[in-house]
Amino acid sequence: HFSGQPLTLRWARPPFARLDAKSFVPPQPAMIPRDLVTEPRSFPSPIFVPYDAPLQRGCLIDRRDRFIAEVSLEAAPGSSVLAHCINPGRMEAFVEIGARVWLRPAGKEDRKLQYSWEAIEITGIDGKKLICSTNTVRPNRLVRDLLEARCLPGLESFTSLHAEQTFCFASAEGREHSGRVDFLLDASGPVAHYIEVKNCHLVYPDGWGYFPDSISERATRHVDALTALVQRGARATVIMVVQRGDVRHGVRPSAFHDPKFAAAAVQAAKCGVRFRAVRADVGVDGTWLTHELQVDLHEHESPHVLAAAGRWWEQNRANSGWTKSATGARIGNGPFAHHVAAAKAAAKEEKAAAKAAAKEEKAAAKAA
């Protein structure tokens, strides 16, 4: 329910259809605006979001073929079940064999996999055990409850809220944008507000959350579409949900894992897309939304941040990716394509420099 009335999810005519893209000239900030949130800011009252059904505890045997988790349930010792792994990414540091995990019953007898992998217990950056969510879809539920509670400054005065709204349009440059946005506020108002939700599970020892942990062309397309919508006169916000309680500072777009997404996020911010983040403390009964966090779009690609991310990524490789059932090989924990390309380019330059130096030395010896 929303404002005491049933929330009707229906397609709303996109307000940008009434705009003349050629005549509208949006403001172009000269630099990325600084985030108004510089330290974690607690909500007036934490928001609790329960699970749809009680979770069942077990032990992770392995993650197979990307979308399947094999788990030994405590309620049925000596046997294992297969659960749907909702996270399509590498799940860096989360694929820890033998870790305590929690599954949520599907509640549908006709579904092939009767469980979904909901959470895992890991050692946090402070050395203590904590529960983290493995469900990349749950942030949509969390943000919806957050919006309805109207506790995010700047997102508390909307008059309508619609979920999963589709869009299709061509930008002024002729580029086609189509897809589905997680939430649309004030669809029939003078300025609609598009909201995209992203899940962040990766927190490094520096206290920052990093998104994504894999190359995500889909996330880049979403951000590019929001940028185009803002250029047509709409408003747009990306809300990143960190589903673990040990994040200390905020979230950074990971230029180490996906430099294209990081560049797209920076460009989007320059054009007026707002980036925000929230912390979600995960338990076995549900999730507590506790703080708004800052999003750092300034230091994320500095050399020391990239170097540190590389070291931590290397440490996490053993607990990342998945096993390919057909071969038993580990997939999704190797170097990224852009790192391989950069290494090859550096080796080529080094070889060319050595060749040039040898040629100069030979010429100098001949001249002498």
Side-chain angles (χ1 to χ4, degrees):
H1 284 71
F2 170 68
S3 298
Q5 299 296 325
L7 180 63
T8 303
L9 303 184
R10 58 181 177 81
W11 183 85
R13 183 176 179 82
F16 54 74
R18 300 190 298 269
L19 296 174
D20 183 353
K22 294 182 179 180
S23 62
F24 178 77
V25 181
Q28 297 291 330
M31 59 185 296
I32 306 170
R34 286 283 177 179
D35 200 318
L36 299 178
V37 180
T38 57
E39 294 292 337
R41 180 169 59 193
S42 61
F43 298 129
S45 297
I47 300 170
F48 179 68
V49 184
Y51 296 117
D52 296 331
L55 304 186
Q56 297 187 26
R57 188 168 63 183
C59 175
L60 180 65
I61 297 176
D62 201 359
R63 180 191 182 194
R64 305 185 187 281
D65 302 321
R66 194 174 190 176
F67 295 106
I68 297 176
E70 184 178 0
V71 175
S72 174
L73 290 176
E74 290 186 1
S79 61
S80 65
V81 299
L82 300 181
H84 178 211
C85 178
I86 304 174
N87 191 330
R90 293 190 173 201
M91 296 184 70
E92 182 177 328
F94 270 24
V95 189
E96 183 179 345
I97 307 305
R100 181 177 293 176
V101 297
W102 285 263
L103 304 184
R104 174 173 49 84
K108 297 179 180 179
E109 295 183 359
D110 59 341
R111 205 178 95 162
K112 183 177 180 180
L113 298 178
Q114 287 296 303
Y115 297 92
S116 292
W117 185 8
E118 191 70 38
I120 186 172
E121 183 182 69
I122 67 166
T123 301
I125 63 173
D126 56 2
K128 300 178 182 179
K129 292 290 186 180
L130 82 158
I131 300 175
C132 307
S133 177
T134 54
N135 185 342
T136 58
V137 176
R138 185 162 173 79
N140 286 47
R141 164 78 184 276
L142 302 179
V143 169
R144 176 171 170 174
D145 283 19
L146 193 64
L147 291 171
E148 292 178 354
R150 299 175 183 264
C151 59
L152 278 177
L155 290 174
E156 70 275 58
S157 59
F158 55 88
T159 58
S160 65
L161 184 155
H162 303 283
E164 298 186 349
Q165 298 297 291
T166 58
F167 60 83
C168 181
F169 66 97
S171 65
E173 297 80 16
R175 182 180 176 184
E176 291 287 337
H177 293 277
S178 62
R180 182 175 61 187
V181 71
D182 292 318
F183 296 102
L184 178 60
L185 307 181
D186 295 329
S188 58
V191 181
H193 195 156
Y194 293 81
I195 296 179
E196 184 67 26
V197 180
K198 297 299 178 189
N199 172 75
C200 175
H201 84 273
L202 180 61
V203 174
Y204 277 150
D206 59 359
W208 286 91
Y210 288 83
F211 175 88
D213 76 326
S214 315
I215 296 175
S216 180
E217 296 178 356
R218 182 171 179 267
T220 301
R221 288 197 306 271
H222 288 167
V223 170
D224 286 343
L226 293 182
T227 301
L229 285 167
V230 168
Q231 291 175 329
R232 294 176 69 92
R235 296 175 64 194
T237 299
V238 176
I239 300 179
M240 299 182 177
V241 181
V242 186
Q243 293 196 91
R244 52 188 292 175
D246 60 344
V247 60
R248 295 174 184 165
H249 308 302
V251 180
R252 285 170 169 159
S254 182
F256 174 83
H257 296 85
D258 191 346
K260 289 185 178 180
F261 171 81
V266 170
Q267 181 60 31
K270 289 180 179 179
C271 292
V273 177
R274 181 82 186 274
F275 285 80
R276 307 181 73 165
V278 296
R279 192 182 88 182
D281 292 356
V282 180
V284 296
D285 298 322
T287 309
W288 288 94
L289 294 164
T290 61
H291 293 76
E292 181 174 7
L293 308 170
Q294 66 170 307
V295 177
D296 175 25
L297 294 170
H298 297 270
E299 302 297 326
H300 66 287
E301 58 181 357
S302 62
H304 74 277
V305 169
L306 293 175
R311 293 193 302 270
W312 293 323
W313 167 80
E314 185 66 39
Q315 295 171 8
N316 291 335
R317 285 182 63 181
N319 294 332
S320 306
W322 59 89
T323 299
K324 190 174 182 179
S325 295
T327 62
R330 197 67 174 176
I331 304 296
N333 69 337
F336 293 97
H338 51 275
H339 294 155
V340 174
K344 288 182 178 179
K348 186 176 181 179
E349 290 181 6
E350 184 177 349
K351 185 177 180 180
K355 187 176 181 180
K359 187 176 181 180
E360 291 179 5
E361 185 178 349
K362 185 177 182 181
K366 186 177 181 180

